[in-house]
Amino acid sequence: MWVSPQHHCPGQTSITSQNGFVSFPKSSTTSRAISSNMGNPHTTLPPSGSFKKPINQPITDCNTQIRKFCEVGNLKMAMDLVCNAQKSELELATYCSVLQLCADFKSLDEGRKVHSFIDSCGIEMQNASAPKLAFMYLSCGDLREGRRVFDRMANEKVFLWNMLLSEYAKIGNFEESIMLYERMVEFEVEANSYTFSCILKCLAAKKSVAKGERVHGYLLKLGFGAYNTVVNSLIAFYFKCGRTESARKLFDEMCDRDVITWNSMISGYTANSLAEKGVEVFIDMLSTGIRVDLATIVSILAACANVGVISLGRSLHAYAIKAGFNKEITFNNTLIGMYTNCGDIDGASCIFYNLGERSVVSCTSMIAGYARDGLSDKAIALFHEMKMEGIKPDIFSVTSILHACACNGSLEDGKEVHNYIRENNMDLDVSVSNALMDMYAKCGSMEDALSIFSQMPIKDIVSWNTMIGGYSKNSMPNEALHLFGAMQQELKPDIVTLTCVLPSCASLAALDRGREVHAHLLRNGLAFDNYVVNALIDMYVKCGALVLARSLFDKTPVKDLVSWVVMVAGYGMHGFGREAIAAFKKMRKAGIVPDEVSFISILHACSHSGLLHEGWRFFDIMRNDCNIKPKLEHYACMVDLLARSGKLSKAYRFVETMPIEPDASVWGALLCGCRIHHDVKLAEKVAENIFKLEPDNMRYYVLIATIYAEAEKWEEVNKLKERIGRRGLRKNPCCSWIEIKGKHHIFVAGDNSYPQPKKIDFLIKEWSTKMKAEGYFPNLRYALTKGEHMPKETPRCGHTERRAMAFGIMSFPPGKIIRITKNLRVCSDCHEMAKYVSKKVGSEIVLRDSNRFHHFKNGSCSCRGYL
DNA sequence: CGGATAGTAC
């Protein structure tokens, strides 16, 4: 027995502590009331002869009259008589009959009246009527009062115990059910099959395997091992707890399995992701000749959907038509789900559009199927169609359609659905609100998402994660981190929260915050999930801690595609092209098939290290070996690669002959190359192409202006400035930052309110003087343009990165790595200074700009001039 | 009978 005194929590409702007149009869019956039916309270009526009739009974006995009305179900007349009767005349059996009627009619008010009449009787009457009274309250849905009466009475009636157990289970208070069961066992109330079915459900809900096993032992001892209903419940319990072998063992040992047994096996295996075994069971079932019912078909279709075996699904479809199930709407709905899950969207829509009657469920299945298949437009169209047909979408339909809008990125459709949701007060549902927030986040409107979030009275962990993830995805890392902080005031972040927040740490290069997250994961034993580990590796990569990223990567036992791609991209960004290529090869050797994104990473890596030949090879591998059609990103990488290598005209021809229309990013890659190789003429041609496509992207104006400035074409620079002014564009202010002890120190161009300005400026001045004295000259061309003509003309970078660098050198002990982040590309002047400082001070400097990493060590940079 | 809402890589 697993009941022990420790289980009895203080303060909990307890039978023993309720009052003084409770007695607990130890059951002495030898014949067990195994068959006593919970659904039949009449069997528990107190014997009507237990109270003696009053003497001087009139012939037209009011008791008889009341009971007559009860027999014919006339509650009103019965109650009238009860109310008018002399209370001392009424017998227990009469009260019981009326209470039963109140229970049948679920008439709580009348029941309460009867209760008050009984209360005015003697204690004997009160005690004797208590079971019926408790029954009445429980039947009428007043669990609290039912429990109160129950607690006050002597109770050996298993029927009432069962009723209480199931009522608590109904409202989800499984703990209370379990506690009551423990008490039952303790007081030796004889449990019956209903007790076991119910308690096993509760224990399954709480996944209490150990307690369930003890119940299992107990029921065997009482001889319930041969009861189908009980064993079926046990099987369901074991499946719910993931103990498929235990369920199987019971099944194998059963001698007369009924249809429910078979169905439980099929759905149990399916729920435990062992749908194949479910299918096997189904085939065995067919060979036994047992009648297949609707539930069987529905379970096996779900199994098919999980396995994704469309052939079996199709033959089941045929089988079910023969057996006549195709008229059942539930069958058809599951069938639609099966076809959509197996990816046969046409098969699904064929059934759907041939349905005699459509229900909300059929429509929702179909919408979800379309959404899952990426056919958001069709999903949205069907949503409108069902509304036109007068089928009212419910919260299920609405969450599905929101998902479709989110996948589509169509804010307008999403807003329309939002209006519908508001009009129907569906936004009170947490899941619906979460789906709405997700839709807005995926459509890029974090303002709308936030407005929903802030209006939610109850937020669950998904709500928080959706917002934090939304901010991360929409490049609002500060908001993400801020919300993460706020969340921790209210609830504990889970693995998804941490996975959501890591990209924000990465984008801010907030290494200390990232490390805190890592520590949190380790403390909570969560550092084994692939998603979060990949996010961690990526965070370390982007914070410039390539060594930490690598050691975490090495320690990861299961490296999936993303793990590898993160490392390949990481090596690339840090200028280790050869290592990136080695990793890519290793990945393929490990049997992982690269996808589009993998090739973008490796091509980028080649480009960052100027590996033109290798880049071409990967481009060919992608097209020929992997059958991946190059996308714009791939072309942009190739153009970048060609252009950086100085093959500008080849790059231009490449863009012109692309099989898909080049976009601004492809031309932009060429423009970058023009800058590096000072080809003003080509740059002008390219720029005009770009401005046709993206006339408002400041990035390209800055780039062409720099090209002009470096060629000393000041007139052209001025013309550009006018053009920019006419368009009302503004330059993204340049800024650099450095993290010191978890705190960010930001240096913004044109803002001199940074910390310790005198010391910083002094240090920088000293460095420049020494650089000059030591003949440390940056490239001549740049030095010239920096000369007399242009200090005011060039887009000012503000040299924020050198200030951050000086601040870092001042703040950290020598030898410590200085990590700086900049929102734009590094200026070549500062790049030279960083090289110098790394040699002079002996500190390693890691600078992340908007393009890549620069590791300055002992006077040189890992970018080898590929700024 | 339906959905399944949140997460990693360029």
Side-chain angles (χ1 to χ4, degrees):
Chain A
M1 215 73 9
W2 43 268
V3 174
S4 68
Q6 298 94 279
H7 284 101
H8 299 175
C9 308
Q12 237 167 343
T13 349
S14 153
I15 302 172
T16 43
S17 61
Q18 282 295 309
N19 54 56
F21 56 82
V22 173
S23 68
F24 295 100
K26 304 274 174 189
S27 172
S28 56
T29 31
T30 44
S31 67
R32 297 200 168 99
I34 287 165
S35 60
S36 109
N37 189 341
M38 193 180 96
N40 180 9
H42 299 275
T43 58
T44 68
L45 268 175
S48 54
S50 54
F51 281 82
K52 284 197 179 113
K53 286 182 184 181
I55 327 161
N56 299 331
Q57 195 69 36
I59 312 226
T60 50
D61 176 16
C62 70
N63 284 294
T64 316
Q65 276 189 333
I66 292 169
R67 268 180 267 167
K68 278 256 157 62
F69 280 120
C70 288
E71 268 168 38
V72 297
N74 193 335
L75 179 58
K76 196 178 171 297
M77 288 303 288
M79 276 308 291
D80 281 352
L81 287 177
V82 171
C83 291
N84 294 323
Q86 198 62 17
K87 299 300 169 296
S88 57
E89 283 177 12
L90 293 180
E91 295 169 5
L92 174 64
T94 307
Y95 281 126
C96 286
S97 300
V98 181
L99 284 172
Q100 177 67 48
L101 201 58
C102 293
D104 291 345
F105 281 98
K106 308 242 176 293
S107 175
L108 186 58
D109 290 343
E110 308 289 27
R112 282 191 180 132
K113 261 186 224 159
V114 179
H115 188 183
S116 69
F117 295 146
I118 293 172
D119 270 355
S120 62
C121 302
I123 217 120
E124 210 177 349
M125 177 69 94
Q126 287 171 15
N127 283 353
S129 61
K132 203 59 165 181
L133 204 49
F135 168 73
M136 181 278 294
Y137 278 120
L138 294 177
S139 299
C140 294
D142 190 343
L143 177 54
R144 185 187 285 256
E145 193 57 23
R147 175 62 186 268
R148 215 178 59 87
V149 177
F150 179 88
D151 282 344
R152 284 166 178 251
M153 67 197 201
N155 218 320
E156 75 277 22
K157 300 230 175 334
V158 69
F159 155 73
L160 275 178
W161 286 92
N162 290 348
M163 205 168 168
L164 266 177
L165 289 184
S166 90
E167 289 301 317
Y168 280 117
K170 259 188 228 161
I171 58 163
N173 191 350
F174 303 112
E175 294 86 350
E176 192 62 24
S177 290
I178 295 167
M179 210 204 67
L180 274 167
Y181 169 79
E182 290 172 347
R183 195 142 298 167
M184 259 178 100
V185 175
E186 188 187 355
F187 297 134
E188 296 179 21
V189 177
E190 295 288 348
N192 63 19
S193 58
Y194 287 92
T195 319
F196 289 121
S197 293
C198 184
I199 191 65
L200 285 167
K201 247 182 219 155
C202 297
L203 292 170
K206 304 281 332 165
K207 304 240 188 295
S208 306
V209 185
K211 285 189 179 188
E213 280 171 342
R214 263 180 247 156
V215 172
H216 187 172
Y218 182 56
L219 66 87
L220 288 180
K221 204 179 89 184
L222 296 187
F224 285 96
Y227 278 73
N228 260 9
T229 55
V230 174
V231 181
N232 287 341
S233 301
L234 270 172
I235 288 175
F237 162 80
Y238 281 122
F239 272 128
K240 270 263 171 63
C241 295
R243 298 294 179 99
T244 52
E245 301 84 11
S246 306
R248 181 74 204 204
K249 193 160 172 276
L250 281 166
F251 175 78
D252 288 339
E253 287 165 359
M254 271 174 98
C255 35
D256 54 340
R257 305 163 185 144
D258 57 22
V259 66
I260 295 171
T261 321
W262 289 97
N263 292 349
S264 306
M265 290 303 292
I266 297 167
S267 58
Y269 274 132
T270 308
N272 281 281
S273 317
L274 295 165
E276 295 88 350
K277 291 202 167 171
V279 175
E280 281 169 24
V281 171
F282 175 69
I283 293 166
D284 288 348
M285 180 182 183
L286 289 179
S287 67
T288 63
I290 196 156
R291 261 185 88 91
V292 166
D293 69 2
L294 183 61
T296 320
I297 291 290
V298 166
S299 305
I300 193 64
L301 280 176
C304 286
N306 274 7
V307 183
V309 185
I310 189 73
S311 55
L312 180 61
R314 288 211 181 97
S315 37
L316 271 164
H317 187 179
Y319 173 86
I321 289 173
K322 267 187 236 160
F325 288 120
N326 58 327
K327 287 184 192 67
E328 301 278 352
I329 181 101
T330 52
F331 163 75
N332 283 310
N333 292 342
T334 318
L335 197 60
I336 291 169
M338 189 277 293
Y339 277 111
T340 61
N341 272 322
C342 292
D344 184 357
I345 202 79
D346 294 331
S349 57
C350 182
I351 295 159
F352 179 73
Y353 285 104
N354 285 314
L355 279 183
E357 63 166 320
R358 290 182 196 177
S359 69
V360 199
V361 179
S362 1
C363 293
T364 307
S365 302
M366 204 55 231
I367 288 173
Y370 282 139
R372 235 178 283 142
D373 221 44
L375 303 166
S376 298
D377 291 332
K378 283 195 169 181
I380 292 163
L382 179 54
F383 180 71
H384 294 305
E385 211 178 293
M386 76 187 271
K387 280 195 294 186
M388 298 275 277
E389 262 180 52
I391 299 170
K392 207 169 171 351
D394 60 7
I395 55 170
F396 292 94
S397 335
V398 151
T399 46
S400 287
I401 200 65
L402 283 173
H403 183 227
C405 296
C407 292
N408 222 9
S410 71
L411 187 59
E412 265 177 48
D413 288 319
K415 283 200 164 161
E416 213 180 313
V417 177
H418 190 180
N419 282 335
Y420 180 84
I421 289 168
R422 265 200 224 104
E423 284 159 17
N424 292 279
N425 291 324
M426 286 173 174
D427 43 359
L428 302 173
D429 183 276
V430 178
S431 298
V432 170
S433 293
N434 290 344
L436 268 172
M437 278 166 14
D438 186 53
M439 180 275 293
Y440 279 125
K442 295 233 162 82
C443 293
S445 175
M446 285 312 291
E447 307 83 51
D448 287 310
L450 179 62
S451 117
I452 291 167
F453 181 75
S454 49
Q455 282 167 37
M456 284 173 79
I458 301 159
K459 304 172 175 70
D460 63 8
I461 191 141
V462 178
S463 324
W464 288 92
N465 292 349
T466 306
M467 280 305 289
I468 293 171
Y471 279 134
S472 275
K473 273 262 158 71
N474 285 291
S475 311
M476 298 166 86
N478 288 311
E479 286 81 354
L481 286 175
H482 181 255
L483 200 62
F484 178 57
M487 173 188 182
Q488 282 162 292
Q489 309 288 315
E490 302 203 13
L491 79 172
K492 199 179 164 178
D494 68 0
I495 197 151
V496 177
T497 322
L498 301 170
T499 313
C500 285
V501 87
L502 279 168
S504 285
C505 298
S507 104
L508 292 171
L511 182 58
D512 288 352
R513 308 266 325 242
R515 279 186 142 156
E516 278 169 30
V517 171
H518 193 176
H520 187 286
L521 287 162
L522 290 171
R523 274 198 305 275
N524 292 281
L526 300 172
F528 298 97
D529 175 89
N530 256 36
Y531 273 91
V532 84
V533 170
N534 292 339
L536 272 174
I537 298 171
D538 185 56
M539 181 275 295
Y540 282 124
V541 163
K542 294 205 176 117
C543 290
L546 194 57
V547 179
L548 292 178
R550 173 63 194 267
S551 79
L552 188 56
F553 175 78
D554 287 342
K555 272 188 270 179
T556 305
V558 186
K559 297 174 180 64
D560 61 14
L561 177 68
V562 177
S563 326
W564 287 99
V565 170
V566 166
M567 263 336 277
V568 169
Y571 279 133
M573 268 182 250
H574 285 271
F576 299 105
R578 298 281 167 203
E579 285 80 356
I581 291 172
F584 195 89
K585 285 184 174 161
K586 237 178 152 181
M587 170 184 87
R588 293 195 75 192
K589 235 183 173 174
I592 288 168
V593 183
D595 65 351
E596 286 172 23
V597 178
S598 329
F599 280 104
I600 296 172
S601 300
I602 190 67
L603 291 176
H604 249 119
C606 291
S607 145
H608 281 314
S609 297
L611 302 169
L612 178 61
H613 175 69
E614 289 80 353
W616 270 117
R617 234 190 52 231
F618 282 113
F619 194 64
D620 288 337
I621 290 174
M622 174 174 83
R623 287 186 297 184
N624 303 331
D625 297 4
C626 300
N627 276 321
I628 297 173
K629 260 199 193 148
K631 296 254 160 67
L632 284 169
E633 288 101 319
H634 302 104
Y635 285 109
C637 285
M638 291 316 293
V639 173
D640 188 78
L641 200 46
L642 284 166
R644 279 173 192 276
S645 316
K647 304 197 183 317
L648 291 176
S649 46
K650 199 174 177 191
Y652 188 78
R653 253 179 289 136
F654 183 79
V655 177
E656 280 194 321
T657 55
M658 272 170 61
I660 48 174
E661 201 58 38
D663 70 347
S665 75
V666 176
W667 288 115
L670 186 49
L671 194 60
C672 260
C674 292
R675 186 206 154 174
I676 294 170
H677 300 287
H678 310 289
D679 190 332
V680 183
K681 237 180 148 184
L682 183 60
E684 285 178 327
K685 215 158 120 188
V686 171
E688 283 320 310
N689 278 317
I690 293 178
F691 294 142
K692 268 182 224 151
L693 295 164
E694 283 192 27
D696 287 333
N697 194 329
M698 195 56 196
R699 211 190 114 205
Y700 301 117
Y701 287 99
V702 173
L703 195 53
I704 187 78
T706 313
I707 292 171
Y708 280 134
E710 286 176 356
E712 299 180 60
K713 293 187 179 278
W714 310 117
E715 263 179 48
E716 300 300 329
V717 172
N718 282 332
K719 272 192 210 161
L720 261 176
K721 283 176 87 173
E722 276 169 30
R723 195 168 166 180
I724 293 166
R726 274 201 304 275
R727 296 207 80 88
L729 298 179
R730 274 170 128 203
K731 200 182 159 209
N732 199 5
C734 171
C735 65
S736 302
W737 61 94
I738 182 167
E739 190 188 50
I740 293 169
K741 284 182 185 160
K743 201 176 173 255
H744 282 88
H745 302 270
I746 305 170
F747 298 84
V748 183
D751 175 7
N752 291 324
S753 61
Y754 46 87
Q756 308 189 40
K758 275 188 191 156
K759 263 177 111 175
I760 287 177
D761 290 350
F762 178 78
L763 202 53
I764 291 172
K765 202 156 192 191
E766 197 181 71
W767 286 336
S768 339
T769 319
K770 278 190 184 162
M771 277 171 80
K772 252 180 225 155
E774 290 174 32
Y776 213 101
F777 283 114
N779 72 60
L780 193 62
R781 197 171 191 91
Y782 195 80
L784 271 176
T785 59
K786 188 88 205 335
E788 314 88 77
H789 311 289
M790 60 160 296
K792 280 175 203 150
E793 315 290 347
T794 10
R796 286 210 323 262
C797 107
H799 297 324
T800 57
E801 56 268 56
R802 69 176 60 175
R803 287 176 180 165
M805 179 168 72
F807 190 59
I809 297 281
M810 282 157 43
S811 312
F812 286 128
K816 175 120 182 158
I817 301 176
I818 311 291
R819 298 175 199 278
I820 300 156
T821 312
K822 185 177 173 178
N823 67 337
L824 303 175
R825 289 201 183 201
V826 62
C827 107
S828 42
D829 222 3
C830 290
H831 192 266
E832 284 307 308
M833 186 175 272
K835 281 198 215 165
Y836 172 80
V837 171
S838 74
K839 189 174 187 180
K840 199 78 199 163
V841 184
S843 284
E844 190 181 338
I845 298 162
V846 179
L847 170 67
R848 189 184 91 182
D849 69 9
S850 60
N851 181 43
R852 59 170 298 155
F853 275 95
H854 302 265
H855 288 254
F856 301 95
K857 210 172 171 181
N858 211 15
S860 60
C861 177
S862 63
C863 79
R864 280 165 286 181
Y866 290 100
L867 288 195

